[in-house]
Amino acid sequence: MWAVEIERREDWADMLADVNATMRSEQTASSLLQRIWRPIFGLCYAVAFIALALTLVRTLWHGDTAAINALAGISGFLIAFYGMGTSVLGVYVWQRSSEKRAGIA
């Protein structure tokens, strides 16, 4: 049992090292878009999340059942969209925080 946990930790460490290497190469890339795509993605994701939240509040406030049903109809898409966005940003924020704590960046 202990060997399995150690193996998982080593796999996890290897994966994190690969992600760190990718982020470092993006930071030093010559292309502006390659350097700033993660923050731009984060801003777009935040705008989309706020827009959905405001839409839900407005819909519930006015009791618009047609709009509520329309949002319920695409709930699978919304869950996937926000889940993927959250995972991309979560990895980015986690790695940047680790780098800052370690004094690398």
Side-chain angles (χ1 to χ4, degrees):
M1 178 171 169
W2 294 101
V4 172
E5 288 183 24
I6 291 171
E7 184 177 311
R8 287 183 189 159
R9 288 181 188 165
E10 289 172 357
D11 289 344
W12 183 254
D14 291 342
M15 184 183 70
L16 290 178
D18 290 342
V19 170
N20 282 336
T22 301
M23 289 180 153
R24 284 190 198 100
S25 66
E26 286 177 355
Q27 289 174 350
T28 59
S30 60
S31 169
L32 177 65
L33 183 60
Q34 190 173 4
R35 286 192 312 257
I36 65 169
W37 81 268
R38 291 178 196 263
I40 296 297
F41 179 84
L43 290 173
C44 291
Y45 176 79
V47 167
F49 189 81
I50 290 168
L52 178 66
L54 291 175
T55 301
L56 286 173
V57 168
R58 187 197 68 74
T59 301
L60 293 173
W61 187 267
H62 293 291
D64 187 2
T65 57
I68 293 171
N69 290 334
L71 287 173
I74 61 168
S75 63
F77 167 76
L78 293 174
I79 290 169
F81 175 75
Y82 288 111
M84 287 185 286
T86 302
S87 60
V88 168
L89 291 177
V91 169
Y92 175 70
V93 169
W94 182 267
Q95 292 305 316
R96 285 293 294 153
S97 299
S98 297
E99 287 177 353
K100 287 180 180 180
R101 281 193 299 270
I104 296 171

